[in-house]
Amino acid sequence: GAGVSQSPRYKVAKRGQDVALRCDPISGHVSLFWYQQALGQGPEFLTYFQNEAQLDKSGLPSDRFFAERPEGSVSTLKIQRTQQEDSAVYLCASNNRVLGRNTGELFFGEGSRLTVL
Amino acid sequence: GNSVTQMEGPVTLSEEAFLTINCTYTATGYPSLFWYVQYPGEGLQLLLKATKADDKGSNKGFEATYRKETTSFHLEKGSVQVSDSAVYFCALSSSGYSTLTFGKGTMLLVSP
């Protein structure tokens, strides 16, 4: 596609529910990132994929958060047993650079806004 | 660890006014520096960047100079327009990695 596509754009979940957020990066982009943006804050790094390999998951806040990119294109961020503090916008970004030669120019999707009641 | 500090908003200006949004950083090594912008209802997009000391990034009339001695990357524009109203994020990435560290963002509101 022309840009990074994320779905759903808005998700309301009851506390304790599981949610799955999808990211469709720009075609051919090797690197894919997930960020979490709380209200009034800047995005914070969650995890990074190079093709299908998850090379960095140091930003995932707990073991309730899980991300995958099984075929090196579409990625899913799953949050189990959601809590109120998980309420945030989840941003996906991609580019065609590999780790070690990456300059930080990322193409972002519009984000998925998660509200946990 | 890496961190970015930028001035709190909102910054409210009249059209054609001069804009400065301050950004300072803490990082190991020699980071690349960025300004990203988020227009209402849209995703973050890169505005400009600088990859080494004394580099000046520029785009759409905006400029920022990488100052290693003051660890700063202030965003400036000589004459703002209503269409510049957005949230501006300063960010950095360490050498060879693209994991970005963002500031909290500064909202700019420009009135006619």
Side-chain angles (χ1 to χ4, degrees):
Chain A
V4 178
S5 178
Q6 293 188 245
S7 61
R9 290 292 311 281
Y10 303 93
K11 174 71 177 178
V12 178
K14 292 183 179 179
R15 191 170 55 183
Q17 283 185 329
D18 298 348
V19 300
L21 307 176
R22 176 189 169 105
C23 173
D24 206 332
I26 294 172
S27 178
H29 277 192
V30 169
S31 290
L32 185 145
F33 301 80
W34 284 99
Y35 284 81
Q36 180 190 58
Q37 186 176 15
L39 188 64
Q41 303 296 313
E44 293 195 357
F45 170 77
L46 293 177
T47 187
Y48 164 69
F49 289 87
Q50 185 172 301
N51 296 307
E52 69 279 3
Q54 189 174 21
L55 299 187
D56 188 342
K57 54 183 180 179
S58 62
L60 296 176
S62 78
D63 59 6
R64 296 186 295 103
F65 286 71
F66 172 77
E68 61 183 4
R69 194 187 185 197
E71 297 180 359
S73 55
V74 171
S75 177
T76 303
L77 176 67
K78 297 179 179 178
I79 309 173
Q80 297 176 323
R81 305 181 303 281
T82 52
Q83 303 295 313
Q84 285 188 323
E85 62 262 27
D86 300 335
S87 295
V89 177
Y90 291 85
L91 300 172
C92 179
S94 70
N95 70 14
N96 61 358
R97 302 290 190 123
V98 297
L99 203 64
R101 289 184 170 77
N102 219 317
T103 58
E105 299 175 51
L106 300 183
F107 295 86
F108 282 85
E110 294 181 9
S112 293
R113 182 179 295 277
L114 172 65
T115 302
V116 181
L117 303 178
Chain B
N2 296 339
S3 68
V4 175
T5 302
Q6 56 183 113
M7 61 189 291
E8 288 192 22
V11 173
T12 305
L13 295 173
S14 298
E15 205 165 24
E16 299 184 2
F18 184 86
L19 168 71
T20 300
I21 300 178
N22 291 337
C23 171
T24 58
Y25 68 90
T26 302
T28 54
Y30 301 94
S32 295
L33 301 175
F34 306 84
W35 279 99
Y36 278 80
V37 59
Q38 188 170 32
Y39 297 104
E42 299 184 15
L44 281 162
Q45 55 187 275
L46 179 66
L47 179 61
L48 54 84
K49 67 170 185 176
T51 58
K52 61 183 188 295
D54 300 324
D55 267 3
K56 178 185 286 187
S58 61
N59 186 26
K60 299 182 181 180
F62 291 89
E63 292 184 340
T65 301
Y66 188 161
R67 301 286 188 200
K68 188 165 171 49
E69 63 276 12
T70 55
T71 62
S72 66
F73 193 54
H74 303 322
L75 182 68
E76 296 182 336
K77 186 174 185 182
S79 176
V80 293
Q81 306 300 312
V82 172
S83 57
D84 293 327
S85 297
V87 181
Y88 292 81
F89 292 90
C90 185
L92 68 83
S93 71
S94 297
S95 302
Y97 281 72
S98 66
T99 301
L100 291 167
T101 300
F102 285 89
K104 291 186 176 182
T106 303
M107 179 178 289
L108 170 65
L109 299 171
V110 181
S111 57

